[in-house]
Amino acid sequence: MVSAEVENVSPLRPELTRPAGAKSLSTKFSVFTTILVFWVIVVVGGYDISLNPGKVIAGKILILLLIVFLSAGAIARFTIRILVRPLAVLQRAIQEARAGRLTQVDISRTGDEIEYLAESFNQMSSALAVSQAQVKEHQELLEERIRLRTEELEEALQKAMQASQAKSEFLANMSHELRTPMSGVIGMLDLVMESPLNRDQLEQLKAAQGCAHSLLGLLNDLLDLSKIEAGRMVLEEIPFEMRALVADCTKTYQARAKSKGISMSWSVDQAVPRVLIGDPLRVRQILANLVSNAVKFTERGSVRVEVRLDDGCPEAQASVTLRLSVADTGPGIAPERHDSIFEQFTQADGSISRRFGGTGLGLAISKRLVEMHGGEINLQSAEGLGSAFSVLLPFPVASDPAGSLAEQAEADFSAQNSRGAILVVEDNLINQKVVTSLLRKKGYETHIANNGQEALDMLHSGNYQLVLMDVQMPVLDGLEASQRIRAEERYAGLPIIAMTAHAMNGDRERCLKAGMNEYLAKPVDHKHLIAVVEQFLKQKSSPRAAAPPAHGTAADQGLNGANPALREQMLKLFVQLAPDRIKRLHQAAAEGNLTQLREDVQKIQAAARSISAANVVEWTNSIEESARRVDLESIRTSLSHLDEAVRALSQPTTHQRLDA
């Protein structure tokens, strides 16, 4: 019996085995034949005895037994050949088929049901073999399509990331090109307005100053929105006085309200703790957007700002929830527009933008900032009845505020003349004049370096207590200059403050990684600049100043400015595809196919670079180098390390590190 194996696949279920005590068909047939022979002998013998009573012919019986046994054996042999053996062969073929091995059986040409059954089995086996071949072909085709689609998706995501990075670079360049001249314009206007002027000149300069600040406000709104959407805006946690913040914010809009004949008032409940922990810049931004809108849209009546503890919030505890309310007597907002006004580039009425101007970003940014604080913002308004915005914000309470912050700042400022010189590293002449004039008015000695290399040379030959560092400069930029400064141990405690027009997502982080202690975006508010300078001059020996953040590698910065959702998709896709690609690397290494190995490792390397997976990039470089040397042992070692590096990417801590 000859059989041909068609396919070998895993069985769908366990192979059947013969039950204990079960007898084969041939055994059963042999037993049946024996019983039949015995019965024939008994019948024939009985008949013969009945004919010849009392006379037994032994020879006759023996001959009869011999004839009967020979006939039975012949019948059994014939029956086994034409019945039992074909069935046994068919049984073995069925068991092979159950195991996934389709076989063809030799057909016994008996012209009966056995032959028909064997032919039917062979036809079934052939049909299943063809079906399995088609399934395998479709499976391979499907796998190839999935691979191609996956590669297309990966390529599309990489292009999207490149587009996102290109957009970020474009916005960064535009931000720098706009902020640099605006910094000079605003700075010079401030300096000129402090000089003796007649009334007309003062009014003209105030108008110019207002226009400059309007442009700056628009640019800041766009950049803030970009930071929030990219998930790169971080809230500070520093002590601040809510009363001073509210007073300063409302004072900014007092003159405008007065010019429109609007009464403006503010109050902070006595139960509100004097010093809170939070981000005063962002809290002021929320409040300023609400107050600015109230003053802008109110033609007559009043604007009222109130801050109090939220209902049910105890006065004495480690944290409090404050309710900031801004109410006006303006035109009001229809109820169906309450939700939409918090969307980007949206205002309550199309005519509003024509009458009052504005981009419709203020409330959208305020809502995002409130949500970042873990608070909520609500609106109560109706057409013709004014509007009342209410913001709930949680704050920790400062445990032991020693004196007011204003008093501390004044005390810090009192010792300024005893400190050394400040090095201003700036290539723009206007900005040089603005910063040095401001610092010299406050009694500081200032020196100017036009680029990073000049700054290094001046540091080596002079004694400076603080460096104000621009970023984008010729010869040597501020990032590289800061890294070189930090490389020298003697400058470990020297405060370096970035003062740059780069204000996009990741710019602050890049400055801190380069070794800078603080980051100020141009145009810099003069009061804020002086406050930061005072802070670092007083705390020059603090751990932060002595040990600035270490700068990262180029691979760590591969995703800066990219959308977080896009980065997460890239990482998930890489984690899904990497195991199959690494499997192909192992196979190529086992076969010694170095050409295929290099091709596959370059794909993994490119994908790893796009998600800033530095460890994966390192081991792919090692594999590529080993392949050039035809060092199979090193390739196998590097492959095992590559496996570990890829597995580490699926850990939660890896996601946090890549997103940092």
Side-chain angles (χ1 to χ4, degrees), residues 524-553:
V524 181
D525 180 76
H526 292 181
K527 294 181 180 179
H528 185 48
L529 172 62
I530 293 299
V532 171
V533 169
E534 286 297 321
Q535 174 189 351
F536 280 97
L537 286 178
K538 181 184 178 184
Q539 303 173 351
K540 198 167 76 88
S541 301
S542 67
R544 178 184 176 105
H551 62 278
T553 62

PDB file of all heavy atoms in Angstrom, residues 524-553:
ATOM      1  N   VAL A 524      10.708  90.418  27.210  1.00  0.00           N
ATOM      2  CA  VAL A 524      10.677  90.130  28.640  1.00  0.00           C
ATOM      3  C   VAL A 524      10.110  91.321  29.388  1.00  0.00           C
ATOM      4  O   VAL A 524      10.524  92.464  29.161  1.00  0.00           O
ATOM      5  CB  VAL A 524      12.099  89.805  29.148  1.00  0.00           C
ATOM      6  CG1 VAL A 524      12.059  89.485  30.641  1.00  0.00           C
ATOM      7  CG2 VAL A 524      12.673  88.637  28.379  1.00  0.00           C
ATOM      8  N   ASP A 525       9.157  91.043  30.276  1.00  0.00           N
ATOM      9  CA  ASP A 525       8.652  92.100  31.142  1.00  0.00           C
ATOM     10  C   ASP A 525       9.782  92.572  32.065  1.00  0.00           C
ATOM     11  O   ASP A 525      10.471  91.761  32.687  1.00  0.00           O
ATOM     12  CB  ASP A 525       7.490  91.560  31.980  1.00  0.00           C
ATOM     13  CG  ASP A 525       6.919  92.615  32.901  1.00  0.00           C
ATOM     14  OD1 ASP A 525       6.185  93.487  32.423  1.00  0.00           O
ATOM     15  OD2 ASP A 525       7.232  92.553  34.112  1.00  0.00           O
ATOM     16  N   HIS A 526       9.969  93.882  32.126  1.00  0.00           N
ATOM     17  CA  HIS A 526      11.107  94.429  32.866  1.00  0.00           C
ATOM     18  C   HIS A 526      11.072  94.043  34.343  1.00  0.00           C
ATOM     19  O   HIS A 526      12.103  93.674  34.929  1.00  0.00           O
ATOM     20  CB  HIS A 526      11.138  95.951  32.714  1.00  0.00           C
ATOM     21  CG  HIS A 526      11.470  96.375  31.321  1.00  0.00           C
ATOM     22  ND1 HIS A 526      11.567  97.703  30.943  1.00  0.00           N
ATOM     23  CD2 HIS A 526      11.722  95.660  30.197  1.00  0.00           C
ATOM     24  CE1 HIS A 526      11.882  97.782  29.661  1.00  0.00           C
ATOM     25  NE2 HIS A 526      11.965  96.555  29.184  1.00  0.00           N
ATOM     26  N   LYS A 527       9.889  94.102  34.950  1.00  0.00           N
ATOM     27  CA  LYS A 527       9.785  93.737  36.362  1.00  0.00           C
ATOM     28  C   LYS A 527      10.115  92.260  36.569  1.00  0.00           C
ATOM     29  O   LYS A 527      10.777  91.886  37.535  1.00  0.00           O
ATOM     30  CB  LYS A 527       8.381  94.045  36.882  1.00  0.00           C
ATOM     31  CG  LYS A 527       8.039  95.526  36.924  1.00  0.00           C
ATOM     32  CD  LYS A 527       6.634  95.739  37.469  1.00  0.00           C
ATOM     33  CE  LYS A 527       6.278  97.227  37.517  1.00  0.00           C
ATOM     34  NZ  LYS A 527       4.893  97.442  38.022  1.00  0.00           N
ATOM     35  N   HIS A 528       9.638  91.450  35.642  1.00  0.00           N
ATOM     36  CA  HIS A 528       9.891  90.012  35.766  1.00  0.00           C
ATOM     37  C   HIS A 528      11.381  89.711  35.598  1.00  0.00           C
ATOM     38  O   HIS A 528      11.946  88.880  36.316  1.00  0.00           O
ATOM     39  CB  HIS A 528       9.072  89.262  34.719  1.00  0.00           C
ATOM     40  CG  HIS A 528       9.164  87.768  34.840  1.00  0.00           C
ATOM     41  ND1 HIS A 528       8.998  87.104  36.038  1.00  0.00           N
ATOM     42  CD2 HIS A 528       9.427  86.808  33.911  1.00  0.00           C
ATOM     43  CE1 HIS A 528       9.124  85.804  35.850  1.00  0.00           C
ATOM     44  NE2 HIS A 528       9.401  85.599  34.567  1.00  0.00           N
ATOM     45  N   LEU A 529      12.024  90.397  34.666  1.00  0.00           N
ATOM     46  CA  LEU A 529      13.455  90.192  34.459  1.00  0.00           C
ATOM     47  C   LEU A 529      14.236  90.543  35.723  1.00  0.00           C
ATOM     48  O   LEU A 529      15.103  89.776  36.166  1.00  0.00           O
ATOM     49  CB  LEU A 529      13.937  91.035  33.280  1.00  0.00           C
ATOM     50  CG  LEU A 529      15.457  91.067  33.060  1.00  0.00           C
ATOM     51  CD1 LEU A 529      15.995  89.669  32.765  1.00  0.00           C
ATOM     52  CD2 LEU A 529      15.816  92.022  31.931  1.00  0.00           C
ATOM     53  N   ILE A 530      13.951  91.686  36.306  1.00  0.00           N
ATOM     54  CA  ILE A 530      14.656  92.108  37.524  1.00  0.00           C
ATOM     55  C   ILE A 530      14.401  91.111  38.656  1.00  0.00           C
ATOM     56  O   ILE A 530      15.314  90.743  39.408  1.00  0.00           O
ATOM     57  CB  ILE A 530      14.212  93.521  37.940  1.00  0.00           C
ATOM     58  CG1 ILE A 530      14.674  94.551  36.893  1.00  0.00           C
ATOM     59  CG2 ILE A 530      14.769  93.880  39.311  1.00  0.00           C
ATOM     60  CD1 ILE A 530      16.172  94.624  36.714  1.00  0.00           C
ATOM     61  N   ALA A 531      13.138  90.622  38.759  1.00  0.00           N
ATOM     62  CA  ALA A 531      12.813  89.673  39.827  1.00  0.00           C
ATOM     63  C   ALA A 531      13.595  88.380  39.667  1.00  0.00           C
ATOM     64  O   ALA A 531      14.113  87.814  40.642  1.00  0.00           O
ATOM     65  CB  ALA A 531      11.305  89.396  39.833  1.00  0.00           C
ATOM     66  N   VAL A 532      13.719  87.904  38.438  1.00  0.00           N
ATOM     67  CA  VAL A 532      14.460  86.655  38.198  1.00  0.00           C
ATOM     68  C   VAL A 532      15.949  86.853  38.465  1.00  0.00           C
ATOM     69  O   VAL A 532      16.604  85.997  39.070  1.00  0.00           O
ATOM     70  CB  VAL A 532      14.218  86.168  36.754  1.00  0.00           C
ATOM     71  CG1 VAL A 532      15.149  85.007  36.420  1.00  0.00           C
ATOM     72  CG2 VAL A 532      12.768  85.743  36.574  1.00  0.00           C
ATOM     73  N   VAL A 533      16.486  87.972  38.009  1.00  0.00           N
ATOM     74  CA  VAL A 533      17.906  88.257  38.263  1.00  0.00           C
ATOM     75  C   VAL A 533      18.166  88.295  39.760  1.00  0.00           C
ATOM     76  O   VAL A 533      19.139  87.709  40.266  1.00  0.00           O
ATOM     77  CB  VAL A 533      18.308  89.587  37.591  1.00  0.00           C
ATOM     78  CG1 VAL A 533      19.687  90.030  38.077  1.00  0.00           C
ATOM     79  CG2 VAL A 533      18.316  89.431  36.071  1.00  0.00           C
ATOM     80  N   GLU A 534      17.301  88.992  40.502  1.00  0.00           N
ATOM     81  CA  GLU A 534      17.468  89.080  41.955  1.00  0.00           C
ATOM     82  C   GLU A 534      17.395  87.706  42.609  1.00  0.00           C
ATOM     83  O   GLU A 534      18.163  87.389  43.514  1.00  0.00           O
ATOM     84  CB  GLU A 534      16.382  89.997  42.541  1.00  0.00           C
ATOM     85  CG  GLU A 534      16.608  91.460  42.268  1.00  0.00           C
ATOM     86  CD  GLU A 534      17.877  91.958  42.921  1.00  0.00           C
ATOM     87  OE1 GLU A 534      18.172  91.534  44.052  1.00  0.00           O
ATOM     88  OE2 GLU A 534      18.584  92.760  42.298  1.00  0.00           O
ATOM     89  N   GLN A 535      16.465  86.897  42.147  1.00  0.00           N
ATOM     90  CA  GLN A 535      16.296  85.570  42.729  1.00  0.00           C
ATOM     91  C   GLN A 535      17.569  84.738  42.598  1.00  0.00           C
ATOM     92  O   GLN A 535      18.023  84.108  43.557  1.00  0.00           O
ATOM     93  CB  GLN A 535      15.129  84.846  42.040  1.00  0.00           C
ATOM     94  CG  GLN A 535      14.960  83.393  42.468  1.00  0.00           C
ATOM     95  CD  GLN A 535      13.956  82.664  41.606  1.00  0.00           C
ATOM     96  OE1 GLN A 535      13.261  83.261  40.793  1.00  0.00           O
ATOM     97  NE2 GLN A 535      13.883  81.354  41.781  1.00  0.00           N
ATOM     98  N   PHE A 536      18.171  84.742  41.419  1.00  0.00           N
ATOM     99  CA  PHE A 536      19.346  83.897  41.209  1.00  0.00           C
ATOM    100  C   PHE A 536      20.613  84.493  41.804  1.00  0.00           C
ATOM    101  O   PHE A 536      21.523  83.752  42.186  1.00  0.00           O
ATOM    102  CB  PHE A 536      19.525  83.614  39.712  1.00  0.00           C
ATOM    103  CG  PHE A 536      18.627  82.529  39.219  1.00  0.00           C
ATOM    104  CD1 PHE A 536      17.425  82.833  38.610  1.00  0.00           C
ATOM    105  CD2 PHE A 536      18.963  81.198  39.391  1.00  0.00           C
ATOM    106  CE1 PHE A 536      16.581  81.832  38.166  1.00  0.00           C
ATOM    107  CE2 PHE A 536      18.123  80.188  38.953  1.00  0.00           C
ATOM    108  CZ  PHE A 536      16.930  80.508  38.342  1.00  0.00           C
ATOM    109  N   LEU A 537      20.678  85.806  41.877  1.00  0.00           N
ATOM    110  CA  LEU A 537      21.843  86.395  42.529  1.00  0.00           C
ATOM    111  C   LEU A 537      21.829  86.114  44.023  1.00  0.00           C
ATOM    112  O   LEU A 537      22.881  85.936  44.648  1.00  0.00           O
ATOM    113  CB  LEU A 537      21.888  87.901  42.274  1.00  0.00           C
ATOM    114  CG  LEU A 537      22.294  88.318  40.860  1.00  0.00           C
ATOM    115  CD1 LEU A 537      22.265  89.831  40.719  1.00  0.00           C
ATOM    116  CD2 LEU A 537      23.685  87.785  40.513  1.00  0.00           C
ATOM    117  N   LYS A 538      20.638  86.080  44.592  1.00  0.00           N
ATOM    118  CA  LYS A 538      20.546  85.797  46.023  1.00  0.00           C
ATOM    119  C   LYS A 538      20.804  84.318  46.313  1.00  0.00           C
ATOM    120  O   LYS A 538      21.439  83.956  47.307  1.00  0.00           O
ATOM    121  CB  LYS A 538      19.163  86.185  46.547  1.00  0.00           C
ATOM    122  CG  LYS A 538      19.008  85.928  48.044  1.00  0.00           C
ATOM    123  CD  LYS A 538      17.601  86.227  48.517  1.00  0.00           C
ATOM    124  CE  LYS A 538      17.475  85.912  49.995  1.00  0.00           C
ATOM    125  NZ  LYS A 538      16.103  86.103  50.498  1.00  0.00           N
ATOM    126  N   GLN A 539      20.325  83.449  45.432  1.00  0.00           N
ATOM    127  CA  GLN A 539      20.429  82.012  45.673  1.00  0.00           C
ATOM    128  C   GLN A 539      21.444  81.371  44.734  1.00  0.00           C
ATOM    129  O   GLN A 539      21.250  80.282  44.228  1.00  0.00           O
ATOM    130  CB  GLN A 539      19.059  81.366  45.486  1.00  0.00           C
ATOM    131  CG  GLN A 539      17.995  81.960  46.390  1.00  0.00           C
ATOM    132  CD  GLN A 539      16.620  81.416  46.074  1.00  0.00           C
ATOM    133  OE1 GLN A 539      16.418  80.727  45.094  1.00  0.00           O
ATOM    134  NE2 GLN A 539      15.673  81.737  46.932  1.00  0.00           N
ATOM    135  N   LYS A 540      22.527  82.061  44.504  1.00  0.00           N
ATOM    136  CA  LYS A 540      23.514  81.593  43.531  1.00  0.00           C
ATOM    137  C   LYS A 540      24.120  80.249  43.906  1.00  0.00           C
ATOM    138  O   LYS A 540      24.570  79.486  43.057  1.00  0.00           O
ATOM    139  CB  LYS A 540      24.633  82.624  43.370  1.00  0.00           C
ATOM    140  CG  LYS A 540      25.461  82.441  42.102  1.00  0.00           C
ATOM    141  CD  LYS A 540      26.310  83.647  41.845  1.00  0.00           C
ATOM    142  CE  LYS A 540      27.512  83.693  42.752  1.00  0.00           C
ATOM    143  NZ  LYS A 540      28.658  82.987  42.226  1.00  0.00           N
ATOM    144  N   SER A 541      24.131  79.941  45.167  1.00  0.00           N
ATOM    145  CA  SER A 541      24.744  78.692  45.619  1.00  0.00           C
ATOM    146  C   SER A 541      23.715  77.592  45.872  1.00  0.00           C
ATOM    147  O   SER A 541      24.034  76.583  46.489  1.00  0.00           O
ATOM    148  CB  SER A 541      25.537  78.930  46.911  1.00  0.00           C
ATOM    149  OG  SER A 541      26.547  79.886  46.706  1.00  0.00           O
ATOM    150  N   SER A 542      22.485  77.794  45.403  1.00  0.00           N
ATOM    151  CA  SER A 542      21.454  76.771  45.613  1.00  0.00           C
ATOM    152  C   SER A 542      21.760  75.541  44.783  1.00  0.00           C
ATOM    153  O   SER A 542      22.495  75.611  43.802  1.00  0.00           O
ATOM    154  CB  SER A 542      20.091  77.328  45.222  1.00  0.00           C
ATOM    155  OG  SER A 542      20.053  77.546  43.821  1.00  0.00           O
ATOM    156  N   PRO A 543      21.218  74.367  45.140  1.00  0.00           N
ATOM    157  CA  PRO A 543      21.472  73.148  44.367  1.00  0.00           C
ATOM    158  C   PRO A 543      21.070  73.282  42.914  1.00  0.00           C
ATOM    159  O   PRO A 543      21.710  72.747  42.042  1.00  0.00           O
ATOM    160  CB  PRO A 543      20.608  72.103  45.096  1.00  0.00           C
ATOM    161  CG  PRO A 543      20.449  72.640  46.481  1.00  0.00           C
ATOM    162  CD  PRO A 543      20.438  74.121  46.352  1.00  0.00           C
ATOM    163  N   ARG A 544      19.988  74.041  42.650  1.00  0.00           N
ATOM    164  CA  ARG A 544      19.560  74.180  41.262  1.00  0.00           C
ATOM    165  C   ARG A 544      20.606  74.903  40.433  1.00  0.00           C
ATOM    166  O   ARG A 544      20.920  74.527  39.317  1.00  0.00           O
ATOM    167  CB  ARG A 544      18.233  74.928  41.198  1.00  0.00           C
ATOM    168  CG  ARG A 544      17.747  75.167  39.775  1.00  0.00           C
ATOM    169  CD  ARG A 544      16.487  75.996  39.769  1.00  0.00           C
ATOM    170  NE  ARG A 544      16.121  76.281  38.395  1.00  0.00           N
ATOM    171  CZ  ARG A 544      15.138  75.712  37.750  1.00  0.00           C
ATOM    172  NH1 ARG A 544      14.456  74.764  38.330  1.00  0.00           N
ATOM    173  NH2 ARG A 544      14.848  76.049  36.514  1.00  0.00           N
ATOM    174  N   ALA A 545      21.196  75.946  41.027  1.00  0.00           N
ATOM    175  CA  ALA A 545      22.200  76.695  40.276  1.00  0.00           C
ATOM    176  C   ALA A 545      23.479  75.909  40.138  1.00  0.00           C
ATOM    177  O   ALA A 545      24.157  75.967  39.137  1.00  0.00           O
ATOM    178  CB  ALA A 545      22.475  78.028  40.972  1.00  0.00           C
ATOM    179  N   ALA A 546      23.822  75.150  41.193  1.00  0.00           N
ATOM    180  CA  ALA A 546      25.078  74.409  41.151  1.00  0.00           C
ATOM    181  C   ALA A 546      24.991  73.177  40.288  1.00  0.00           C
ATOM    182  O   ALA A 546      25.984  72.719  39.769  1.00  0.00           O
ATOM    183  CB  ALA A 546      25.481  74.007  42.575  1.00  0.00           C
ATOM    184  N   ALA A 547      23.804  72.614  40.149  1.00  0.00           N
ATOM    185  CA  ALA A 547      23.668  71.379  39.387  1.00  0.00           C
ATOM    186  C   ALA A 547      22.516  71.503  38.407  1.00  0.00           C
ATOM    187  O   ALA A 547      21.428  71.001  38.636  1.00  0.00           O
ATOM    188  CB  ALA A 547      23.430  70.202  40.329  1.00  0.00           C
ATOM    189  N   PRO A 548      22.719  72.232  37.310  1.00  0.00           N
ATOM    190  CA  PRO A 548      21.652  72.405  36.333  1.00  0.00           C
ATOM    191  C   PRO A 548      21.353  71.090  35.645  1.00  0.00           C
ATOM    192  O   PRO A 548      22.160  70.174  35.680  1.00  0.00           O
ATOM    193  CB  PRO A 548      22.250  73.427  35.349  1.00  0.00           C
ATOM    194  CG  PRO A 548      23.721  73.244  35.474  1.00  0.00           C
ATOM    195  CD  PRO A 548      23.969  72.888  36.904  1.00  0.00           C
ATOM    196  N   PRO A 549      20.191  70.974  35.004  1.00  0.00           N
ATOM    197  CA  PRO A 549      19.828  69.737  34.342  1.00  0.00           C
ATOM    198  C   PRO A 549      20.840  69.362  33.280  1.00  0.00           C
ATOM    199  O   PRO A 549      21.340  70.215  32.541  1.00  0.00           O
ATOM    200  CB  PRO A 549      18.456  70.051  33.715  1.00  0.00           C
ATOM    201  CG  PRO A 549      17.952  71.237  34.469  1.00  0.00           C
ATOM    202  CD  PRO A 549      19.148  72.004  34.885  1.00  0.00           C
ATOM    203  N   ALA A 550      21.150  68.080  33.200  1.00  0.00           N
ATOM    204  CA  ALA A 550      22.090  67.597  32.186  1.00  0.00           C
ATOM    205  C   ALA A 550      21.421  67.614  30.824  1.00  0.00           C
ATOM    206  O   ALA A 550      20.236  67.336  30.693  1.00  0.00           O
ATOM    207  CB  ALA A 550      22.547  66.185  32.530  1.00  0.00           C
ATOM    208  N   HIS A 551      22.187  67.939  29.808  1.00  0.00           N
ATOM    209  CA  HIS A 551      21.604  67.965  28.474  1.00  0.00           C
ATOM    210  C   HIS A 551      21.517  66.554  27.939  1.00  0.00           C
ATOM    211  O   HIS A 551      22.296  65.685  28.278  1.00  0.00           O
ATOM    212  CB  HIS A 551      22.452  68.847  27.542  1.00  0.00           C
ATOM    213  CG  HIS A 551      23.858  68.365  27.355  1.00  0.00           C
ATOM    214  ND1 HIS A 551      24.857  68.628  28.265  1.00  0.00           N
ATOM    215  CD2 HIS A 551      24.411  67.612  26.385  1.00  0.00           C
ATOM    216  CE1 HIS A 551      25.991  68.068  27.846  1.00  0.00           C
ATOM    217  NE2 HIS A 551      25.730  67.450  26.723  1.00  0.00           N
ATOM    218  N   GLY A 552      20.532  66.332  27.067  1.00  0.00           N
ATOM    219  CA  GLY A 552      20.306  64.999  26.519  1.00  0.00           C
ATOM    220  C   GLY A 552      21.014  64.832  25.195  1.00  0.00           C
ATOM    221  O   GLY A 552      21.613  65.727  24.635  1.00  0.00           O
ATOM    222  N   THR A 553      20.925  63.609  24.691  1.00  0.00           N
ATOM    223  CA  THR A 553      21.511  63.286  23.399  1.00  0.00           C
ATOM    224  C   THR A 553      20.578  63.731  22.293  1.00  0.00           C
ATOM    225  O   THR A 553      19.428  64.084  22.505  1.00  0.00           O
ATOM    226  CB  THR A 553      21.750  61.780  23.304  1.00  0.00           C
ATOM    227  OG1 THR A 553      20.475  61.135  23.402  1.00  0.00           O
ATOM    228  CG2 THR A 553      22.654  61.298  24.401  1.00  0.00           C
TER     229      THR A 553
END
